[in-house]
Amino acid sequence: MDKPKTIVEKIWDQHIVHQEEDKPDLLYIDLHLVHEVTSPQAFEGLRLKSRGVRCPDRTYATMDHNVPTIHRHIIKDQVSKTQMDTLKQNCDEFNIPLADIDHPDQGIVHVIGPELGLTQPGKTIVCGDSHTSTHGAFGALAFGIGTSEVEHVLATQTLWQATPKTLNVKVNGQLGQGVTAKDLILAIIGKYGVRFGTGFVIEYTGDAIQSLSMEARMTICNMSIEAGARAGLISPDETTIEYIRGKRHAPKGNDFEKAAADWKALATDDGATYDATVEINADEVEPQVTWGTNPGMCIPVSASIPSPDQADSANAKDEIERALEYMGLEANQPISSVKIEHVFIGSCTNSRLSDLQKAAEIIKGKKVNPSVTAIVVPGSHSVKLSAEKEGLDIIFKQAGFEWRDAGCSMCLAMNDDVVPAGERCASTSNRNFEGRQGTGARTHLVSPEMAAAAAIEGHFVDVRKLTAPTPS
Amino acid sequence: MEPIRKHTGLVYPLNRSNIDTDQIIPKQFLKRISRQGFGQFLFFNWRFDSDGAPKKDFSLNDPKYKDASILVAGENFGCGSSREHAPWALQDFGFKVIIASSFADIFYNNCTKNGIVPIQLTEQQTQELIDHSESESYTINVDLENKLVYGPNDFSAKFEIPDYQREMLLNGWDEIAVTLTHEKKIDQFEIQRQTLY
């Protein structure tokens, strides 16, 4: 019998175009997603060398980072407008399909790939965006690349890649009521830090992962890069296959059944070995809130903010002190006492229909705290329409949320959706770096449910207390 | 890209860990469509206050580091976003070598595509470089061919870099041109791949 293999090894072996000793492998790329921010210099590079795009049909572009989420066609910032216009011109020139700002398929690149069925198990998927790891939820090998590599893929449909090490993140047990995939991935990064995945591709395994929906799996894989891993994936199973069935770009009829059998065979074999393994018990995970300036600085909602005195080195102490100062927080202060001024529900981490449904359940019949400005930004135009069909927009608007059009929005504030300096935002996005949501803005990463609860209360609160069944 | 074999330059120490690409170049400066001119935005929020005046307490504003071309930092340098604007900004500002006790994967890769040498040294070695360059004007030598960093005060360290990336940097090759020498193999692969579904 063949040696048992991990899914990463299987996908890798299927994509090697050229191999030489002591060199990286030349790997074929099945799908290249493109957006307006990291592509203009790549297209310019092609033009300078009179090169073409090798496979426009394996390339798909959208506009997401810069787009306004309100007054869609009033782009005040001319530099933003130029960047979007440039993408349109480049897609026209090189024949690349584009979901532009008016297109019904427009949305955040990592939301629309899965939605359209472009994202499929076993594919190699790249994009000039670090959250490309999201597509790993389908058992695809998906990772972020820089603009030089974008140009390389446009020209050759390949990349030189050294074989990655594999890291098994094994999640035992099951998540409790009111505890989400977002809490789980934050807890993993909180426990093991923001660099434990560097140099690895993560595979998430274990009972808790298998029980997750596809959208929850996307939330987990999305944040692999926050642990340092370029890619994170989950072996395909029935949940994966049923999610893809019927999607526009998925294989049809007999082809689908054939594909589904191949996809299931990609799952990591029993007895396959990883270069490293870490474990976490899902039963013990509580709703999480980040307090600092990287996603590893995160604590359960019941806990207090750490003190620099707890640091195990001078550098770590310095890091905590700087984070506390930037965030305007005191050591040992309970995180639930921290008041917020903004709530952002959106981003490639948490802007899919199920995210909005769960937040709406918390919001229903309640009001946003008068001290809070709250916005919901659906991940795609299609998510927006589906949500409106269910009346979620009405629930959010009646509670006092603003209901916006699709885009990356306040996750990185490249458009007008900016958190003012010194103000605090409960955000369902993926990065709480200094200045991420605006210069001087203070970000706390949470799940959609926790963001909704914070919007109502005006401070962080354990969402399980709001949803606890009333004793009969 | 320009080949780089040896470099001698002044060290600028930035004694922090987890310096993310949002700090190296904040998002409001990612809207340009050219590769040039990003140096003025390097570490923008750390270098300038809200009125655009240089912050006195940020060391890169200290005139003694004006001609620095080697940046030394702590662990996980370049974490976060894949924006190649980060190495473009560092390079445009004048940095040719980045030394850190560890790097984020995408950033490391992006450096090597732009003729910037990323060098991983141990925590102790980077601390030594930081200590020397904080207390005096400290110039060191980088020899990429022999994978060696050396300088005054008996500093000498070997480093590792994958051979492929070292070759690219030493020769300043156009990677796409190298890949296109394998075009026939890509054609064959595609023919075989198209039979799927």
Side-chain angles (χ1 to χ4, degrees), chain A residues 99-394:
Chain A
D100 70 6
I101 195 164
D102 295 317
H103 197 283
D105 296 333
Q106 183 269 342
I108 304 175
V109 67
H110 309 309
V111 175
I112 65 173
E115 202 169 76
L116 295 170
L118 291 164
T119 303
Q120 293 170 17
K123 279 190 176 180
T124 45
I125 302 176
V126 297
C127 174
D129 190 286
S130 60
H131 291 112
T132 308
S133 57
T134 312
H135 306 265
F138 291 80
L141 183 65
F143 51 92
I145 55 177
T147 299
S148 295
E149 288 183 316
V150 169
E151 184 179 336
H152 191 278
V153 178
L154 289 171
T156 69
Q157 206 57 34
T158 62
L159 276 178
W160 294 96
Q161 292 290 306
T163 324
K165 292 182 289 176
T166 52
L167 169 62
N168 179 10
V169 174
K170 189 159 186 263
V171 188
N172 303 310
Q174 294 294 341
L175 292 173
Q177 184 73 24
V179 185
T180 69
K182 181 63 161 289
D183 301 307
L184 174 58
I185 189 65
L186 284 173
I188 292 169
I189 300 167
K191 183 171 178 185
Y192 293 106
V194 291
R195 44 186 185 259
F196 80 98
T198 305
F200 290 96
V201 171
I202 293 177
E203 182 180 348
Y204 299 93
T205 66
D207 293 343
I209 297 294
Q210 283 166 7
S211 310
L212 294 176
S213 71
M214 282 316 295
E215 298 194 348
R217 293 179 190 188
M218 285 187 244
T219 300
I220 299 279
C221 291
N222 172 275
M223 290 189 69
S224 302
I225 184 67
E226 312 317 331
R230 283 176 80 185
L233 45 58
I234 294 170
S235 283
D237 58 13
E238 283 303 325
T239 306
T240 321
I241 287 158
E242 288 318 308
Y243 188 92
I244 301 171
R245 191 187 294 276
K247 293 273 188 291
R248 198 189 306 165
H249 291 272
K252 301 285 179 308
N254 279 342
D255 279 351
F256 186 83
E257 301 313 321
K258 185 167 171 277
D262 287 352
W263 293 341
K264 274 196 254 182
L266 286 171
T268 290
D269 298 327
D270 288 339
T273 52
Y274 299 87
D275 294 296
T277 297
V278 299
E279 295 194 40
I280 189 165
N281 189 351
D283 298 307
E284 290 165 10
V285 174
E286 288 181 50
Q288 304 284 310
V289 184
T290 64
W291 60 268
T293 51
N294 73 48
M297 293 174 162
C298 121
I299 48 175
V301 63
S302 59
S304 294
I305 293 163
S307 156
D309 302 336
Q310 294 165 273
D312 51 10
S313 70
N315 278 343
K317 183 169 188 272
D318 183 49
E319 213 175 358
I320 296 177
E321 278 170 354
R322 262 191 296 109
L324 289 177
E325 191 192 336
Y326 180 84
M327 294 297 289
L329 295 170
E330 299 289 331
N332 304 318
Q333 178 183 358
I335 192 78
S336 58
S337 70
V338 175
K339 293 202 166 94
I340 53 153
E341 288 93 32
H342 298 267
V343 168
F344 168 58
I345 298 178
S347 88
C348 57
T349 314
N350 281 126
S351 64
R352 298 179 182 83
L353 186 61
S354 58
D355 297 315
L356 306 191
Q357 285 167 335
K358 286 177 189 155
E361 265 174 48
I362 308 290
I363 295 289
K364 196 168 186 178
K366 307 228 171 65
K367 289 280 177 208
V368 170
N369 192 284
S371 62
V372 174
T373 306
I375 67 171
V376 186
V377 183
S380 70
H381 188 64
S382 164
V383 168
K384 185 175 188 236
L385 290 184
S386 305
E388 287 173 354
K389 228 178 193 171
E390 294 181 14
L392 301 186
D393 58 325
I394 308 290

Side-chain angles (χ1 to χ4, degrees), chain B residues 86-157:
Chain B
W88 295 337
L90 286 159
Q91 189 168 49
D92 191 49
F93 195 84
F95 290 111
K96 293 183 160 44
V97 175
I98 315 288
I99 298 175
S101 37
S102 67
F103 287 92
D105 292 340
I106 304 178
F107 177 84
Y108 185 94
N109 217 8
N110 284 342
C111 283
T112 65
K113 311 282 179 190
N114 288 279
I116 299 176
V117 185
I119 298 177
Q120 184 172 354
L121 296 182
T122 65
E123 232 169 290
Q124 201 187 338
Q125 289 164 335
T126 50
Q127 198 56 52
E128 214 177 307
L129 289 174
I130 286 168
D131 291 344
H132 288 319
S133 53
E134 277 179 344
S135 58
E136 58 184 317
S137 173
Y138 193 64
T139 296
I140 59 170
N141 307 286
V142 173
D143 178 348
L144 179 59
E145 203 146 21
N146 296 303
K147 298 186 274 192
L148 189 65
V149 180
Y150 58 97
N153 310 67
D154 290 329
F155 185 88
S156 176

Side-chain angles (χ1 to χ4, degrees), chain B residues 152-195:
Chain B
N153 310 67
D154 290 329
F155 185 88
S156 176
K158 288 284 285 176
F159 64 91
E160 290 303 320
I161 179 168
D163 283 343
Y164 173 79
Q165 283 160 316
R166 190 175 65 111
E167 288 283 304
M168 295 295 290
L169 286 163
L170 287 171
N171 296 293
W173 278 327
D174 170 358
E175 193 181 30
I176 295 175
V178 174
T179 306
L180 289 175
T181 62
H182 302 287
E183 205 168 5
K184 280 213 177 90
K185 281 193 127 173
I186 305 174
D187 293 342
Q188 284 163 5
F189 186 92
E190 273 178 351
I191 292 166
Q192 163 220 327
R193 189 109 187 117
Q194 266 155 15
T195 59

Side-chain angles (χ1 to χ4, degrees), chain A residues 412-431:
Chain A
L412 84 168
M414 275 191 78
N415 66 357
D416 292 334
D417 305 337
V418 177
V419 177
E423 297 191 11
R424 205 176 284 289
C425 182
S427 177
T428 67
S429 54
N430 40 54
R431 288 190 176 133

